[in-house]
Structure formats: structure tokens, C-alpha cells
Amino acid sequence: MRFAAVFALACAGACSALALSLSPEDEAARDIALQWLGVVDSGNYKDATLLISEQVRGSRDWTKYFAAHRAPLGRVNNRKIAEVKYASTVPGDPEFRRHAIVRFKTSFEHKAAAKEEIVLTKMGCCWEVMGYEIN
């Protein structure tokens, strides 16, 4: 049930993210990023951490990171996709493989303008969250 509510929240956010012209692969990366952000937005930092790729999960204390950097911002007012870029390598992942960097412009209850960046890596057929930064 909780996942269904989170997924519905993510889909609602996706509606505001449609202004940018996206390829099907861009849309797949965006959708995974939005689903994961829905878990973060709900304040369920433990589950958000468990959804991060096992390869980088231990690279940072994600729960503390979310508590320090995301929680003070409050609820999301608006989130719009800014861009989707691709790279063969990213910091923290020594392997050569497809990565998507999905950037959003987000307005929060306590911060009118923020930039969120979600790094995803292609593992087989699916995208996995590898990193998150908010400024």
C-alpha cells in the first residue's frame, strides 16, 4: 500500500515535469528518479536509502544526509525537470557503463528555488539510483 501511495505521488510530480521534450530513455530515467524522490519526499529516509544501489549505499550515511539536507526544506511545492544527461563514468562508480544524470528545479515549502540531481546507473535492463545532491 505504501509503495502505491508513493508511486501516485511520484506520478503527480511527473505531470509537472512534462515541459521538456524527452526521449523514451529520458522518460524512463526521469520516472525512476521521480519514484525514488517520492520516497524521499515522504520522509521515509530508511526506505529511500534501501532503494539506492547496493554499490554506493555504504558510501555515505544517507539517512543523516536526508535529515540534514532535505528535511529542513519541507514539502515540495513544485518540481520540474531541467535536463537529462548521460555519461559513461561518474565519480564513485569505477565501472564504465551507462549513467543518467537527471536534474530538477524544485520549489520547497522553506526554499523557493533548489536544484536536485539524481544519478542513475543502468544495471541490466533497469535504472538504479546511485547518488543524490540538493543545492
Side-chain angles (χ1 to χ4, degrees), residues 15-38:
C15 293
S16 67
L18 296 177
L20 188 66
S21 178
L22 300 174
S23 72
E25 187 171 29
D26 293 348
E27 289 178 359
R30 178 210 52 205
D31 291 349
I32 293 300
L34 285 170
Q35 289 172 24
W36 181 78
L37 283 169

Side-chain angles (χ1 to χ4, degrees), residues 39-93:
V39 178
V40 174
D41 292 343
S42 74
N44 192 341
Y45 302 145
K46 183 179 178 183
D47 282 355
T49 298
L50 292 173
L51 292 171
I52 293 173
S53 178
E54 197 173 319
Q55 290 182 281
V56 295
R57 197 176 301 146
S59 66
R60 155 188 286 177
D61 187 333
W62 289 99
T63 303
K64 285 184 182 178
Y65 178 82
F66 297 135
H69 294 88
R70 175 57 187 86
L73 303 178
R75 67 176 172 76
V76 173
N77 291 328
N78 189 8
R79 178 178 282 133
K80 292 184 181 180
I81 192 160
E83 70 178 334
V84 179
K85 294 174 69 174
Y86 296 93
S88 299
T89 60
V90 295
D93 186 359

Side-chain angles (χ1 to χ4, degrees), residues 8 21 26 38 42 45 56 63 67 82 102 106 111 115 119-120 125 133:
S21 178
D26 293 348
S42 74
Y45 302 145
V56 295
T63 303
V102 184
T106 308
K111 186 172 183 174
K115 294 177 184 175
V119 177
L120 305 162
C125 67
E133 294 291 331

Side-chain angles (χ1 to χ4, degrees), residues 115-127:
K115 294 177 184 175
E116 293 178 291
E117 180 178 280
I118 297 86
V119 177
L120 305 162
T121 190
K122 194 78 169 226
M123 301 295 281
C125 67
C126 304
W127 290 109

